[in-house]
Amino acid sequence: MSGVVVHLPRGNGGADGGEPHGDAVTLRLGPGEVARFGRGSSAVPVELRLADPAISRLAGEIRVTDDHWQLTNHSTTHSYLVENPEGAGEYLRVPPRRVGAPIPFEFSRVVLPTRGDVTVSFQVFAPDHVYLDADAMGVPWGNRTVTAYSLDETATYFLVLVALCEPRLRDQSRVAVPTTPQIVERLRGHATCGTLTARAVSSHIDYLSEEKLRISLPDAQEPGKGDRRNGKREEIVGLALRFGLVREENLGLLPPLTGSGGRERQGER
């Protein structure tokens, strides 16, 4: 299992003195590890600091297992919501004092109530989901077979992956991999991606590289972040196409191509 990634976007840590609080924070947790969240103090340290005065010093904790994560609510008065941003409005309500509520979503947003207008929330990317080996159905169990690359084709990160691979799938040539702004523009017409930002696309690319496809880039050459990100996108596309993780039929997940160049290209195929 690749563990859990917890991400607190910049400015989402509550209102501290009337101003949005905090820099972005990213935590990586392996099976058995715990991260606590809340306002914190010198006597109550937390890994994820949420500054809003309506949030307890120790508001809750995230515990990682092999194939999912659990949420404990330490509040005696407030329920927390766990939303599935990529679903059709699904959410779980974790009531006060609930211990170890299992969270089934692959991508979740944890939302805590406040008295102000600033939303306090953070994101959790779950461990890789485990599926039964279709070839072993109906036979005695031996060692469990896991999926090498566990990808959810209904998730936004998969749309980003398809958009990255699209030029090479259509042209079958060594064309340039799309940039982040190009991916934002390409997905703008999708029903669930109209408000997707460049920062969100970059986060999905990092998630694909580090958690889903487990791509290692050499650290020795660091001429700049732009070069490194270009290399990351190239590696993602190369691996996805080599192993058939993205295929021509997946292009149907993307919005229709617009503009004369897109129509001509579709007509040629």
Side-chain angles (χ1 to χ4, degrees):
M1 297 301 104
S2 59
V4 154
V5 176
V6 182
H7 179 64
L8 175 67
R10 181 181 177 84
N12 276 35
D16 190 6
E19 296 294 330
H21 170 77
D23 294 329
V25 177
T26 300
L27 305 174
R28 301 182 185 280
L29 307 174
E33 294 186 320
V34 174
R36 301 189 296 178
F37 58 89
R39 288 207 334 273
S41 69
S42 57
V44 185
V46 293
E47 286 73 33
L48 210 61
R49 182 168 178 258
L50 308 173
D52 194 277
I55 295 176
S56 306
R57 295 287 182 187
L58 179 57
E61 68 179 41
I62 292 167
R63 181 178 297 274
V64 182
T65 72
D66 280 343
D67 57 3
H68 70 282
W69 61 280
Q70 302 169 347
L71 180 66
T72 294
N73 183 353
H74 286 298
S75 173
T76 59
T77 56
H78 294 149
S79 293
Y80 303 152
L81 294 183
V82 183
E83 302 173 340
N84 177 10
E86 300 180 332
E90 298 98 335
Y91 69 90
L92 297 176
R93 182 183 296 110
V94 181
R97 303 184 304 280
R98 174 69 160 92
V99 176
I103 308 300
F105 308 136
E106 186 173 13
F107 175 40
S108 305
R109 181 188 297 116
V110 180
V111 183
L112 283 69
T114 71
R115 296 185 63 181
D117 296 332
V118 179
T119 299
V120 174
S121 64
F122 56 87
Q123 302 159 355
V124 182
F125 295 87
D128 289 340
H129 289 183
V130 176
Y131 297 90
L132 295 174
D133 183 358
D135 295 332
M137 297 294 288
V139 301
W141 288 100
N143 291 333
R144 182 177 63 181
T145 303
V146 299
T147 304
Y149 301 111
S150 176
L151 299 176
D152 180 358
E153 295 190 6
T154 67
T156 301
Y157 70 74
F158 190 77
L159 282 173
V160 171
L161 179 59
V162 175
L164 281 170
C165 296
E166 180 182 28
R168 293 188 185 172
L169 281 172
R170 292 197 186 279
D171 293 342
Q172 297 293 316
S173 61
R174 190 73 177 176
V175 295
V177 175
T179 64
T180 296
Q182 288 172 333
I183 294 173
V184 172
E185 185 62 29
R186 182 68 182 93
L187 296 178
R188 193 177 304 281
H190 193 277
T192 63
C193 297
T195 59
L196 197 66
T197 64
R199 177 172 293 183
V201 168
S202 295
S203 295
H204 285 299
I205 289 173
D206 289 342
Y207 181 57
L208 283 165
S209 172
E210 298 166 15
E211 303 301 325
K212 286 299 183 181
L213 306 183
R214 302 179 298 281
I215 291 171
S216 297
L217 294 175
D219 295 327
Q221 303 169 354
E222 287 195 356
K225 287 186 178 180
D227 292 340
R228 187 170 178 79
R229 188 165 293 281
N230 287 339
K232 181 181 295 186
R233 291 198 304 265
E234 290 276 355
E235 290 291 332
I236 289 172
V237 170
L239 187 147
L241 295 182
R242 283 198 303 273
F243 286 97
L245 306 179
V246 177
R247 303 170 301 279
E248 276 197 76
E249 53 263 36
N250 297 130
L251 294 175
L253 297 172
L254 300 176
L257 284 169
T258 58
S260 60
R263 287 194 295 269
E264 289 170 4
R265 183 170 297 169
Q266 284 183 317
E268 291 171 2
R269 292 192 64 82

